Amino acid sequence: MPQGRNLFPTLSVAENLELGGVTLAAAVRRERMARVLERFPRLAERRAQQASTLSGGEQKMLEIGRALLLEPRVLLVDEPSIGLPPKVAQDVFATLRGLADAGGVTVLMVEQNVKSGLAASHHAIALEGGRAVLEAPADAILAHPRIRTVFLGGHVAGAVSGRPPGGAWARCAKLALAIAVPTRKRRNVMAKVPTPEEMEKRIARFKKLKPHPVTFLDQALPENVRDVFNIIGRGVSEEKGAEAEITDVDGFNIQMSRCKPGNGNGLHSHTTVETFMPLNGRWRISWGDRGEHSVVLEQFDLISVPPGIMRCFRNIGDEDAYLFTVLGGTDPGRVSWSPELVRQASERGWELDAEGDLLVKRQPA
């Protein structure tokens, strides 16, 4: 179903439906038309009425009914709410959700009304620059900090991104939504050659790096105590006003963690790719909804973790060690922590405010 109105305006409701089944045998077409009209009583009441005289919602239902005449296994719908009043749009979303819940057809919808579209969907896929960067249950996407920041103007503390369903949405009768995350335009290449003084501002001297011991919610737990260094950009830091050694950020952020033996961070996810490289020691990188998968990295090994997947790291060596981290995106959004970690942190007086900034009500003993 393409975007906009795609009916034969001078033909009746019944004639528009018949054209949807023009390739079918007459008996089959009549039988399927009867089922469509039974599903959409308002169309049955107006079967002799000219399509152009229907309301916006009724015209959209006629489009859906016409598409159903061929009994598709997958129904592709492009921006079904465009040009419709909010109440009518909600009726259309409810119709599409009803089709998916009834079984027999998978609905894949691209929709600009993100909040309502997600509320009607089972699964969702976020696209950035034409690439799928996040795939999860729709309610998890709706709560995801990046989606709320870009589209809804807010943030939900402790939001959790789901694990990609591995394409299951395409094999069952569900309603999936694809949404596009706006990408920033690339800046022009710097034309002026910087002076040595200007370049000094783009250098992070290791001996002068400033550690941030209270940067993330998970540091409320003793096993997650660590020093975090913001090298290029503040990354996904939850420390309000946290500064970086190099503030000019374009396309990626770099942080470094220093952990004592046995320490690391809590289970979390991001909306962009994250890479880890040990500068010394041995580190365990875990991933999965419960961190059930893991791999051990040694000095200068590197792993790239896809977006939307829960992950964590831990120093399993016998010395203080440094882990180098690169996080994709100029603005990589916020961290999504596991619900259990959010609960444990809250019990210790650590929470996130409405903007996603860290609130420490009780300092650790």
Side-chain angles (χ1 to χ4, degrees):
M1 290 176 49
Q3 181 186 121
R5 307 290 167 82
N6 296 279
L7 298 172
F8 296 96
T10 60
L11 300 183
S12 68
V13 168
E15 289 168 335
N16 269 276
L17 289 175
E18 286 180 359
L19 286 173
V22 70
T23 61
L24 303 173
V28 174
R29 184 167 62 248
R30 285 194 297 270
E31 179 185 352
R32 293 185 184 180
M33 280 182 59
R35 289 205 296 266
V36 168
L37 293 173
E38 183 179 0
R39 183 187 290 271
F40 301 110
R42 277 187 285 178
L43 295 183
E45 295 170 1
R46 295 160 174 75
R47 61 181 302 159
Q49 191 170 319
Q50 192 169 297
S52 62
T53 65
L54 299 177
S55 67
E58 290 166 347
Q59 289 188 28
K60 189 58 66 176
M61 288 182 184
L62 179 53
E63 287 187 63
I64 296 171
R66 187 177 61 188
L68 292 178
L69 240 69
L70 295 178
E71 295 189 350
R73 294 177 60 187
V74 179
L75 181 61
L76 306 180
V77 185
D78 185 13
E79 307 234 10
S81 72
I82 194 166
L84 298 179
K87 177 63 174 66
V88 177
Q90 291 300 324
D91 291 342
V92 172
F93 287 135
T95 298
L96 293 172
R97 177 64 183 246
L99 290 175
D101 287 341
V105 59
T106 292
V107 180
L108 177 58
M109 172 175 64
V110 178
E111 176 54 50
Q112 62 178 343
N113 187 338
V114 175
K115 188 173 183 179
S116 296
L118 284 170
S121 303
H122 297 91
H123 293 288
I125 306 166
L127 307 175
E128 185 168 15
R131 183 173 63 89
V133 296
L134 188 63
E135 182 179 349
D139 54 355
I141 294 276
L142 183 60
H144 200 284
R146 178 75 189 282
I147 300 303
R148 294 193 66 85
T149 298
V150 173
F151 290 103
L152 308 178
H155 171 75
V156 173
V160 180
S161 65
R163 180 169 55 88
W169 60 270
R171 297 194 299 270
C172 60
K174 296 291 183 182
L175 192 150
L177 170 72
I179 56 179
V181 179
T183 55
R184 297 185 180 185
K185 293 182 178 179
R186 299 291 295 173
R187 295 181 298 178
N188 292 329
V189 177
M190 182 180 291
K192 177 180 174 291
V193 177
T195 66
E197 292 75 18
E198 291 171 332
M199 281 302 293
E200 189 64 31
K201 297 178 181 179
R202 305 176 71 88
I203 298 176
R205 305 279 183 188
F206 180 78
K207 293 181 179 180
K208 296 182 179 180
L209 293 181
K210 177 185 176 183
H212 296 260
V214 182
T215 302
F216 293 108
L217 182 70
D218 67 326
Q219 290 171 289
L221 308 182
E223 65 269 26
N224 296 330
V225 171
R226 64 192 183 280
D227 287 328
V228 177
F229 301 88
N230 297 330
I231 299 177
I232 298 182
R234 54 174 285 149
V236 290
S237 173
E238 294 167 337
E239 178 186 0
K240 190 170 185 177
E243 297 180 351
E245 302 297 325
I246 299 173
T247 57
D248 188 13
V249 182
D250 187 12
F252 61 90
N253 287 248
I254 293 179
Q255 289 183 318
M256 182 170 63
S257 296
R258 179 173 62 199
C259 296
K260 294 183 178 299
N263 281 25
N265 71 349
L267 203 60
H268 67 286
S269 75
H270 298 297
T271 59
T272 62
V273 172
E274 185 176 31
T275 62
F276 300 111
M277 183 176 71
L279 300 184
N280 67 309
R282 300 175 73 246
W283 295 79
R284 182 175 65 243
I285 310 299
S286 302
W287 69 93
D289 288 349
R290 300 175 303 281
E292 63 270 27
H293 307 291
S294 66
V295 67
V296 174
L297 299 185
E298 298 186 348
Q299 187 178 35
F300 302 140
D301 292 342
L302 186 144
I303 186 172
S304 175
V305 183
I309 294 175
M310 303 299 279
R311 83 290 304 271
C312 62
F313 59 75
R314 196 150 304 277
N315 177 5
I316 60 173
D318 55 6
E319 61 179 342
D320 288 7
Y322 291 85
L323 185 68
F324 190 79
T325 305
V326 178
L327 193 60
T330 302
D331 177 9
R334 294 288 190 172
V335 185
S336 293
W337 299 106
S338 73
E340 178 60 19
L341 188 148
V342 173
R343 183 190 66 78
Q344 292 177 350
S346 179
E347 290 176 351
R348 290 165 171 79
W350 290 44
E351 297 178 350
L352 299 175
D353 64 17
E355 299 301 319
D357 293 323
L358 188 60
L359 295 175
V360 181
K361 299 178 182 179
R362 296 196 304 273
Q363 290 289 345

